[in-house]
Amino acid sequence: MKVLIILTALVVVVAANPPASTSKVVCYYDSSSYVRESQARMLPNDLDPALSFCNVGVYGYAGIQADTYKMVSLNENLDIDRTHANYRAFTNNKSKYPMKVLLSVGGDVDLEDPQKYNTLLESPQAITAFTNSAVLLAEQYGFDGIDLAWQFAKTKPKKIRSTWGSIWHGIKKTFGTTPVDDKEAEHREGFTALVRQLKQALSVRPNTVLSITVLPNVNSSIYYDVPSIINLVDFVNIAAYDYYTPERNPKEADYTAPIYAPQNRNPLLNADAAVTYWLQNGAPSQKLVLAISTVGRSWKLDAESEIAGVPPLHADGPGEAGPYTKVEGKLSYPEMCLKLINQKGVRPHLRKVTDPSKRFGTYAFRLPDDSGEGGQWVSYEDPDTAGQKAAYVKSKNLGGISIMDLSMDDFRGTCTGDKYPILRAAKYRL
């Protein structure tokens, strides 16, 4: 009888205090946010409300020195110099929060001679130079490891063609197409060698971490030899977004980060297809992390755009810039919130359209006025879609989610008063 009472008590205690989730919450911090202006500027202290939700923090981004192939800071004044010393400020968060802290390299922001990421992989000496410098940089500033957000060549975007253009394109395809990288096999082998060597070098220190971030529109089947590298890395972050952007697809607006393929679309341009590739090639599900973008992509609508607003629809290049980030075609989540609210003295607000199927995402739009101006269409993540992606991760038994990046979430609480609503929503659904 006593045993039964004790067991019943234990069940009650466990039910009241369920075990904490072991899922990864990987939080990327884009250090360039430090030099933005006004409300978009993020200082190290602004990270505090977010980091209690994260168990991995990633500082982005370091780069590669073109002549030496060493891994280096892209902004020494910001990252290393005593004036700011943001490397140290970031790694010091380990004393406040139980988290691993990584330094990421690449990330599509190292724009000086980006071809160096491929040429490095063609030389064993360059791989060694990079490895030694990466380990030294991480050790010197207290990072627990390295994240390889390698800048491989992107897949080519779909083009909108005339009837004659479509016919000619079909004729060209019968004779083969030009690959985006004419040394694909060599670069695939070189990346495998880099991962192997970097893992060995990091392993000298206990509890170090090596991760890979598959950047948007990089073809995993070309560059990642999954069976050869998956046991060498701690996790793979799949950035399954930006499938459609106003830069890649200026004449056609569409969902930028669907979980599943919308009807009559490319079946590979969605999160589930990206995850499935890695699973089918032997990656353990717990090593896969799905990225959630905090950036909305916006297009300008014109007189040729359909009035229903349902994607895909004709567009005319990038939409108007937001008041904080000031980049055409790109909106942070708080900038998106502002566009959904009626504000005195500005154009009519955007109309939000949710997705009852929870498969494709949220969008918002405003039709052009009688002069053909003012039209805008935006695909973006909000707390609801972030929660849906976390639910997808849980249903597939994946390793967790990542937020890319914290500086584009609502870190000031502009929308509802709650800071980091996208991060919070994803965390709570894991």
Side-chain angles (χ1 to χ4, degrees), residues 222-243:
I222 291 176
Y223 291 113
Y224 297 100
D225 184 352
V226 179
S228 296
I229 65 176
I230 197 61
N231 291 326
L232 301 173
V233 300
D234 293 273
F235 66 89
V236 177
N237 178 39
I238 301 175
Y241 57 83
D242 281 357
Y243 290 117

Side-chain angles (χ1 to χ4, degrees), residues 35 73-86:
V35 295
S73 163
L74 289 177
N75 187 336
E76 290 190 359
N77 179 56
L78 181 65
D79 297 332
I80 296 173
D81 286 357
R82 292 180 181 178
T83 307
H84 299 107
N86 277 1

Side-chain angles (χ1 to χ4, degrees), residues 92-399:
N92 285 343
N93 286 306
K94 292 188 294 180
S95 64
K96 296 186 287 183
Y97 306 102
M99 61 190 300
K100 293 286 189 178
V101 180
L102 311 182
L103 179 59
S104 187
V105 58
D108 282 339
V109 302
D110 186 4
L111 302 179
E112 184 180 349
D113 186 22
Q115 183 59 27
K116 63 194 173 189
Y117 281 82
N118 277 342
T119 54
L120 184 153
L121 301 177
E122 298 167 12
S123 165
Q125 292 77 19
I127 290 173
T128 298
F130 174 85
T131 298
N132 292 342
S133 60
V135 172
L136 180 63
L137 195 62
E139 288 182 348
Q140 188 172 1
Y141 294 97
F143 289 98
D144 297 307
I146 300 294
D147 174 64
L148 298 174
W150 211 255
Q151 294 181 184
F152 287 117
K154 306 285 188 180
T155 57
K156 293 181 179 179
K158 186 186 79 169
K159 292 182 179 180
I160 305 297
R161 295 183 173 88
S162 64
T163 302
W164 169 245
S166 297
I167 294 172
W168 175 239
H169 179 68
I171 293 171
K172 289 196 296 182
K173 284 186 70 174
T174 63
F175 295 98
T177 57
T178 303
V180 295
D181 177 1
D182 57 6
K183 294 184 178 180
E184 291 171 352
E186 183 178 359
H187 296 151
R188 177 187 175 99
E189 292 176 6
F191 187 75
T192 300
L194 170 62
V195 170
R196 185 179 296 112
Q197 188 167 327
L198 186 55
K199 177 64 174 180
Q200 185 176 7
L202 286 171
S203 296
V204 175
R205 292 169 55 207
N207 302 316
T208 53
V209 177
L210 175 60
S211 64
I212 291 171
T213 292
V214 182
L215 292 173
N217 298 302
V218 168
N219 189 332
S220 289
S221 67
I222 291 176
Y223 291 113
Y224 297 100
D225 184 352
V226 179
S228 296
I229 65 176
I230 197 61
N231 291 326
L232 301 173
V233 300
D234 293 273
F235 66 89
V236 177
N237 178 39
I238 301 175
Y241 57 83
D242 281 357
Y243 290 117
Y244 273 76
T245 71
E247 295 79 22
R248 288 173 59 84
N249 317 91
K251 295 298 182 181
E252 186 174 29
D254 207 345
Y255 294 109
T256 191
I259 299 177
Y260 297 98
Q263 189 174 10
N264 300 323
R265 310 297 211 283
N266 186 327
L268 299 179
L269 302 185
N270 59 86
D272 185 63
V275 168
T276 298
Y277 170 79
W278 283 82
L279 292 175
Q280 289 180 343
N281 283 273
S285 62
Q286 283 293 303
K287 281 199 173 185
L288 302 183
V289 169
L290 181 63
I292 299 172
S293 175
T294 53
V295 174
R297 297 296 182 177
S298 71
W299 286 260
K300 179 181 177 182
L301 300 184
D302 59 18
E304 295 182 42
S305 305
E306 295 183 21
I307 62 172
V310 178
L313 70 165
H314 179 273
D316 187 26
E320 64 187 22
Y324 304 150
T325 55
K326 300 179 181 178
V327 179
E328 288 189 345
K330 181 177 180 179
L331 295 169
S332 66
Y333 181 63
E335 288 175 323
M336 191 61 228
C337 286
L338 291 177
K339 290 184 175 293
L340 297 173
I341 302 171
N342 258 324
Q343 300 176 74
K344 190 174 182 180
V346 300
R347 289 192 182 104
H349 64 288
L350 302 185
R351 174 192 168 196
K352 177 180 177 179
V353 181
T354 58
D355 173 24
S357 74
K358 302 179 182 180
R359 296 170 65 87
F360 312 130
T362 296
Y363 64 88
F365 72 101
R366 176 181 61 223
L367 295 174
D369 57 27
D370 293 339
S371 67
E373 296 297 322
Q376 190 169 17
W377 190 94
V378 190
S379 175
Y380 67 102
E381 303 279 12
D382 62 11
D384 288 337
T385 62
Q388 290 159 16
K389 287 195 168 174
Y392 168 85
V393 164
K394 193 172 182 179
S395 72
K396 294 288 185 178
N397 194 35
L398 303 184

